[in-house]
Amino acid sequence: MKEKHTLLGWITFLVFLFLLGPLVIIIGASFGPDNYLTFPPNGFSLKWYENVFHVEMFWTSFKISMLVALLGIVLSFLLGIPAAYALSRYQFKGKGFFTSFFISPIIIPGIVFGYGLLKYLVITYHIPIFPGVLIGHVVIMIPYVIRVISSSLMNFDYSVEEAAMSLGASRLKTFFVVVLPNIRSGIIAGILLAFLESFNNVDVSVFMTGPGVSTLPISMLNYVEYYFDPTIAAISVLFMLMTAVLIAAIERTLGLRFFTK
Amino acid sequence: MALIELKNITVAYDQKHNILENFNLSVEEGEFVSLLGPSGCGKTTTLRLIAGFNEAKDGQFLFKGQDYTKVPVHKRAFGFVFQSHALFPHLSVYDNVAFGLKLRKTDAKQIRTKVMDILEAVNLKGFENRYPSQLSGGQRQRVAIARSLVIQPDLLLFDEPLSSLDANLRVQMRMEIRRIQQELKVTTVYVSHDQEECFSISDKVAIMNKGVIEQLDTPPLIYKKPKTEFVARFVGFENILPMTGSGEGAAPLKAKDGTPFVVEGAAGMKGTVKCAIRPDDIRIAKDGEERGADNSTAGRIQVTTYLGRGYQYVVETAIGEFLVNSHGEAPFGHGETVRLDFPPDKLVPVD
């Protein structure tokens, strides 16, 4: 495979340019000294990064985003692991239906789902804002959890489970001491993916957040409605940095190839 | 009293189709019994039922006279060795073997001695810190055996444990299994579709077909005196000769052209009697040489094939087609007429 594909090289370059170009502009603009977004910047300043930490709204909504993501991970795993296990371990009626059902939050447009949730949870049942956001996030995290866990269970030899039972472990014990340790990589990947999905989510959050309870991306949206200074570019850069660190962590622990299996 | 008893067991894989129906089997303490048969005959189902992985729709499973039908797997204390070895991939050899002991809350010191002893017994000393992925197929299987033996099981169950190994290793491992079983005197039920494997290591072999045990006997007995046509064909009696008996004392059976056949053990049989005989046991000779009136027929060579140690012929006769092996040097040619002799002690009446 030493052949040179000039055309392929160019196409790849264009794709990268298309994907990364906007990011370059944001990074550049975040270091600008002016009170409005400019690219290329007319100088170099870190004051907008400083300003990020002075806007109280960002800090409170960051904490809420973290809380929603972490609680959401716990809840989506409590629901997702048993579901993934049942779907890969057993044959039963309606299995195809359940598989598509659990994946459906990815297929339904986020804005439609968000609106549906608003109508159903908030308007009809008057669920308070925070639990509402949490429920919305759990629903969109579950498909990722189930997909990733199912794919690690696919490589799991269930006779190992039977071996543990024949040696004296009950069903439940077997699950914890034999099944879980063997899908550890899937669980780590699931946590990271679910975290990113929740932390970056806009379309569901925009409907579910309300006075006093807002996630970070929604605060950012609100901020740009009133201000046009590079603070928003600075916080976006910080946001990207965090995502990049998480992706690097996945790459380190499992390799990104894990997701293309 | 038998150690294990399956009484009128029925197992279904869905609501309608039964894999086993009114199945019965008993195994004595210390015995090594094999279940042998083609795929789909229910042998693995029987084994998994004894282990507790499958549930019986009907019938009873007794262990030491106690009803074990509803006892869950983890309370049975039966060792199970899987075809795929089923080692715990995330645990070292030591921890794999110690798994059952830890569940039994054995103290650490005792676990250490027991694990090291059993690893020595299966020739795996020095491997305790390796992981399953770092072992060869044979080593994995020995870990699996050690793991199920260390809990001192009441019963040892093998599900085609050698079929994933290569031929040389299989022979070596089956001797190992037999040696360990005899040393520890564990009652063992062994499932395989490999006839040689079962015959070589078992005290008794059960030949199964379509969910039924056709014959349960010692290997030499099955090999020499199969009881049914299925068993006969399964162990290499490739010729079945239908005859009729008069029912009178010592009178010979008669083939369909009337030729009399003296068959050992067939005295007094009445009606249609099928007799089985191995290709090796039919004697083939040039036609025209002197022959007796009994147990003999003339035929014509249809096909000749070379087997290495001799030749195999398909011979057409007035009483049917026969497969015959000969060890002679000069083969008979196609179309040649020959004479076949059937020794009375080699013909076995079967159902």
Side-chain angles (χ1 to χ4, degrees):
Chain A
M1 289 301 282
K2 278 273 163 86
E3 261 178 279
K4 271 191 179 167
H5 289 279
T6 325
L7 185 66
L8 190 67
W10 275 104
I11 292 175
T12 313
F13 174 74
L14 286 174
V15 169
F16 270 103
L17 192 70
F18 179 73
L19 287 174
L20 298 176
L23 303 186
V24 172
I25 291 176
I26 290 175
I27 293 169
S30 73
F31 293 109
D34 302 330
N35 280 342
Y36 47 89
L37 282 165
T38 44
F39 187 83
N42 301 321
F44 180 82
S45 155
L46 286 173
K47 65 177 173 185
W48 304 116
Y49 283 90
E50 203 189 324
N51 193 41
V52 166
F53 296 95
H54 288 144
V55 180
E56 210 199 318
M57 178 171 78
F58 287 154
W59 181 236
T60 32
S61 61
F62 172 77
K63 283 190 287 188
I64 287 180
S65 269
M66 281 306 250
L67 194 62
V68 168
L70 295 179
L71 281 177
I73 285 169
V74 172
L75 291 175
S76 61
F77 270 76
L78 284 178
L79 295 168
I81 291 181
Y85 179 78
L87 287 174
S88 20
R89 177 80 167 88
Y90 301 106
Q91 292 298 328
F92 51 88
K93 248 187 197 166
K95 183 170 165 168
F97 168 78
F98 281 109
T99 309
S100 341
F101 176 75
F102 286 126
I103 302 305
S104 64
I106 294 185
I107 301 159
I108 297 168
I111 205 118
V112 175
F113 174 65
Y115 174 69
L117 217 55
L118 173 75
K119 183 97 178 65
Y120 183 65
L121 289 183
V122 180
I123 299 174
T124 310
Y125 290 105
H126 306 291
I127 300 254
I129 297 171
F130 185 79
V133 176
L134 188 59
I135 290 171
H137 279 229
V138 167
V139 174
I140 54 169
M141 285 156 111
I142 278 181
Y144 293 93
V145 174
I146 290 183
R147 280 309 286 268
V148 177
I149 304 275
S150 295
S151 81
S152 11
L153 280 171
M154 232 151 59
N155 304 320
F156 184 72
D157 173 11
Y158 287 104
S159 57
V160 170
E161 219 184 30
E162 292 181 336
M165 288 193 276
S166 77
L167 291 169
S170 65
R171 276 216 89 99
L172 200 65
K173 178 117 194 170
T174 299
F175 184 78
F176 285 105
V177 298
V178 175
V179 181
L180 277 190
N182 280 301
I183 55 168
R184 201 180 53 212
S185 58
I187 291 176
I188 296 171
I191 288 176
L192 294 173
L193 276 183
F195 180 81
L196 290 176
E197 178 60 20
S198 159
F199 208 81
N200 290 333
N201 182 273
V202 173
D203 37 24
V204 173
S205 303
V206 82
F207 286 99
M208 300 307 290
T209 50
V213 180
S214 180
T215 60
L216 187 58
I218 303 306
S219 294
M220 289 163 67
L221 267 183
N222 289 338
Y223 188 85
V224 280
E225 277 182 40
Y226 301 104
Y227 310 94
F228 202 60
D229 63 42
T231 309
I232 197 69
I235 196 169
S236 300
V237 171
L238 294 175
F239 218 142
M240 282 194 286
L241 219 61
M242 191 186 80
T243 308
V245 167
L246 283 181
I247 294 287
I250 298 178
E251 167 65 22
R252 267 294 173 80
T253 48
L254 315 162
L256 286 176
R257 247 179 307 146
F258 183 82
F259 297 102
T260 52
K261 268 199 291 219
Chain B
M1 188 187 57
L3 183 75
I4 351 179
E5 252 179 295
L6 299 181
K7 283 184 174 172
N8 304 317
I9 292 281
T10 299
V11 177
Y13 68 83
D14 55 28
Q15 300 308 312
K16 288 170 208 149
H17 302 87
N18 291 335
I19 309 172
L20 299 177
E21 215 173 278
N22 282 322
F23 184 85
N24 291 287
L25 171 70
S26 56
V27 177
E28 299 293 330
E29 183 142 19
E31 251 182 351
F32 192 123
V33 174
S34 285
L35 306 177
L36 173 65
S39 56
C41 71
K43 55 190 193 299
T44 297
T45 306
T46 307
L47 193 75
R48 291 176 59 83
L49 179 102
I50 296 172
F53 298 137
N54 285 359
E55 220 171 274
K57 201 171 83 176
D58 219 343
Q60 226 187 2
F61 167 41
L62 298 180
F63 183 79
K64 283 186 181 158
Q66 283 172 302
D67 188 356
Y68 258 51
T69 322
K70 300 271 182 221
V71 174
V73 185
H74 66 280
K75 297 208 171 127
R76 291 196 183 192
F78 297 165
F80 200 104
V81 180
F82 295 83
Q83 183 178 350
S84 62
H85 318 316
L87 297 181
F88 306 124
H90 63 298
L91 297 179
S92 65
V93 168
Y94 182 89
D95 288 323
N96 260 282
V97 178
F99 190 89
L101 294 174
K102 283 179 183 163
L103 286 170
R104 282 164 178 70
K105 308 260 188 296
T106 317
D107 71 65
K109 245 189 197 164
Q110 249 191 316
I111 291 183
R112 177 127 212 118
T113 6
K114 282 188 177 183
V115 171
M116 294 321 259
D117 283 354
I118 203 82
L119 282 179
E120 190 165 359
V122 296
N123 295 323
L124 275 178
K125 224 177 167 191
F127 285 83
E128 54 272 12
N129 293 324
R130 298 243 196 137
Y131 281 82
S133 58
Q134 299 165 312
L135 300 177
S136 71
Q139 289 166 339
R140 280 180 210 180
Q141 200 51 288
R142 277 182 281 162
V143 176
I145 294 169
R147 182 179 66 176
S148 47
L149 277 175
V150 79
I151 59 169
Q152 289 168 304
D154 293 329
L155 187 65
L156 199 51
L157 306 168
F158 287 93
D159 184 14
E160 310 222 9
L162 307 182
S163 56
S164 58
L165 306 180
D166 61 53
N168 285 334
L169 205 53
R170 269 210 294 271
V171 175
Q172 201 187 320
M173 277 300 294
R174 76 184 185 213
M175 286 200 264
E176 193 98 324
I177 288 176
R178 182 57 163 162
R179 178 180 66 79
I180 296 168
Q181 189 267 339
Q182 281 177 331
E183 247 167 54
L184 302 172
K185 299 184 177 63
V186 204
T187 315
T188 302
V189 181
Y190 189 101
V191 160
S192 176
H193 61 264
D194 185 327
Q195 188 186 322
E196 191 188 300
E197 193 177 305
C198 286
F199 277 30
S200 62
I201 56 177
S202 313
D203 295 319
K204 276 185 187 167
V205 174
I207 310 274
M208 287 183 66
N209 179 34
K210 293 177 185 159
V212 172
I213 293 181
E214 298 248 346
Q215 188 171 357
L216 173 60
D217 264 320
T218 62
L221 217 73
I222 290 181
Y223 197 76
K224 279 187 210 132
K225 299 281 176 203
K227 280 184 183 148
T228 67
E229 185 179 341
F230 176 82
V231 176
R233 287 190 186 279
F234 197 80
V235 298
F237 287 75
E238 292 180 67
N239 301 298
I240 303 289
L241 178 56
M243 288 184 281
T244 40
S246 61
E248 293 163 32
L253 303 172
K254 286 211 158 59
K256 71 176 176 192
D257 68 346
T259 314
F261 277 84
V262 179
V263 175
E264 216 170 67
M269 283 187 166
K270 211 176 163 175
T272 307
V273 179
K274 285 184 194 159
C275 287
I277 187 163
R278 292 178 184 277
D280 280 320
D281 292 335
I282 301 178
R283 283 204 287 266
I284 185 165
K286 257 207 176 84
D287 197 24
E289 285 175 30
E290 190 169 322
R291 63 168 175 166
D294 291 352
N295 292 26
S296 187
T297 187
R300 183 187 291 273
I301 304 277
Q302 294 288 317
V303 183
T304 307
T305 51
Y306 182 54
L307 297 181
R309 59 191 155 87
Y311 289 85
Q312 184 166 64
Y313 306 100
V314 178
V315 182
E316 199 181 67
T317 72
I319 55 173
E321 242 180 36
F322 293 97
L323 211 56
V324 183
N325 292 349
S326 88
H327 299 278
E329 267 303 310
F332 299 102
H334 175 79
E336 227 171 294
T337 47
V338 291
R339 198 187 84 216
L340 301 180
D341 286 306
F342 301 78
D345 58 331
K346 303 290 191 197
L347 280 163
V348 181
V350 295
D351 293 338

